[in-house]
Amino acid sequence: MATMAKWGSKSWAVSQKKVVALEGLAFSYSQVADNNTSTEEKKTTNERGTDLFPLSFTTVLHSGAGVDVRAEIESWKELVTKVNYFYLGGKKLGPKLQLRKVSVSNVEIDDLGRMRLATLSFEFKEYDPDTTSVPVSTTALNVKASTASKSQNKPANAQAQAAPKKTISVGCYVKPTGSRYATGEKIPNWVKERSHKVSQIKESQNKVLLGHPDGINSWVYLSEVTLV
């Protein structure tokens, strides 16, 4: 049996008993902008900004080629949002990919309502947990302890708890610790790694403006910043 490609438990191969071929393979590498300010589906680790690696192709399922068309379609439905490496000719193509979409078209059925022919279109995208809003099934990746459970298991530091707490005020420098701005957009990693000057505080709204007017000029939650 000649194997063309593989992703997780799925493979595209041709044998005397079964034919599952891969057609119309397409992917790209592209730069977004010199200054990466996007917070969704753009790598924040690269200051020049690159699109997440996309991969797409089609497969024609035919019962005459030894394929249970409906069962194959239903098995792919369960794999949407799963993550794995894609192998072409035994070699990795691109980074770890998440299955974003499976489209079914050109379905032909017989007189008994059985699917005899169908075209499946697959859309994969590079999986980057820092820049994607598409969730991943917990069965796809190793599940790590939650932040809450880690804090419960962490021994208390009495000396640190007894130390006086410093108050955040206009003019001091802080680092964001939350995942999203007060306006709802995702905070990139590079923003959380840098210190930002407090420009304005709205305690009643639990908000603080950072880096106005020459910095990031963004509102974050006051409870999600730490003094530096």
Side-chain angles (χ1 to χ4, degrees):
M1 180 175 67
T3 300
M4 302 170 62
K6 182 177 176 64
W7 179 80
S9 61
K10 292 293 187 180
S11 62
W12 291 262
V14 177
S15 69
Q16 293 181 346
K17 295 183 179 181
K18 187 175 181 180
V19 177
V20 181
L22 183 152
E23 303 174 358
L25 181 69
F27 54 93
S28 64
Y29 306 94
S30 59
Q31 178 182 320
V32 178
D34 286 339
N35 293 314
N36 179 16
T37 58
S38 176
T39 60
E40 176 70 13
E41 298 210 340
K42 304 293 182 293
K43 281 190 172 183
T44 56
T45 53
N46 184 347
E47 290 188 358
R48 296 184 68 82
T50 55
D51 269 324
L52 296 179
F53 179 81
L55 180 71
S56 62
F57 55 87
T58 60
T59 295
V60 177
L61 304 177
H62 201 308
S63 60
V67 179
D68 185 332
V69 177
R70 184 160 189 168
E72 188 68 15
I73 291 173
E74 301 222 351
S75 70
W76 274 109
K77 180 185 72 171
E78 301 300 323
L79 293 175
V80 175
T81 75
K82 295 294 195 302
V83 174
N84 223 310
Y85 287 105
F86 185 83
Y87 292 86
L88 183 66
K91 297 181 179 180
K92 286 181 184 178
L93 178 63
K96 190 171 284 188
L97 298 175
Q98 182 180 48
L99 178 59
R100 293 291 190 88
K101 184 178 181 180
V102 179
S103 301
V104 183
S105 60
N106 302 323
V107 179
E108 294 184 11
I109 58 175
D110 62 15
D111 295 338
L112 298 177
R114 294 174 298 187
M115 294 184 184
R116 313 303 291 175
L117 181 72
T119 299
L120 268 60
S121 301
F122 302 95
E123 294 181 18
F124 293 84
K125 183 153 284 188
E126 175 184 350
Y127 178 69
D128 183 353
D130 291 331
T131 58
T132 181
S133 61
V134 181
V136 178
S137 170
T138 54
T139 59
L141 299 174
N142 292 328
V143 180
K144 298 182 179 179
S146 67
T147 303
S149 63
K150 286 179 180 178
S151 61
Q152 290 174 359
N153 295 329
K154 188 176 181 180
N157 187 329
Q159 188 175 20
Q161 291 177 351
K165 295 182 179 179
K166 296 182 179 179
T167 303
I168 295 174
S169 58
V170 173
C172 64
Y173 284 82
V174 298
K175 283 187 177 181
T177 59
S179 60
R180 294 189 178 275
Y181 292 109
T183 49
E185 297 89 349
K186 192 175 180 66
I187 301 178
N189 283 345
W190 67 266
V191 171
K192 293 192 283 187
E193 291 169 356
R194 299 179 184 176
S195 300
H196 306 277
K197 189 175 182 179
V198 175
S199 305
Q200 188 177 345
I201 297 176
K202 292 185 178 180
E203 292 189 18
S204 62
Q205 299 178 28
N206 188 32
K207 293 195 305 183
V208 57
L209 178 63
L210 303 183
H212 175 79
D214 301 321
I216 60 172
N217 194 29
S218 299
W219 288 95
V220 299
Y221 294 110
L222 180 59
S223 58
E224 295 182 348
V225 295
T226 181
L227 281 165
V228 295

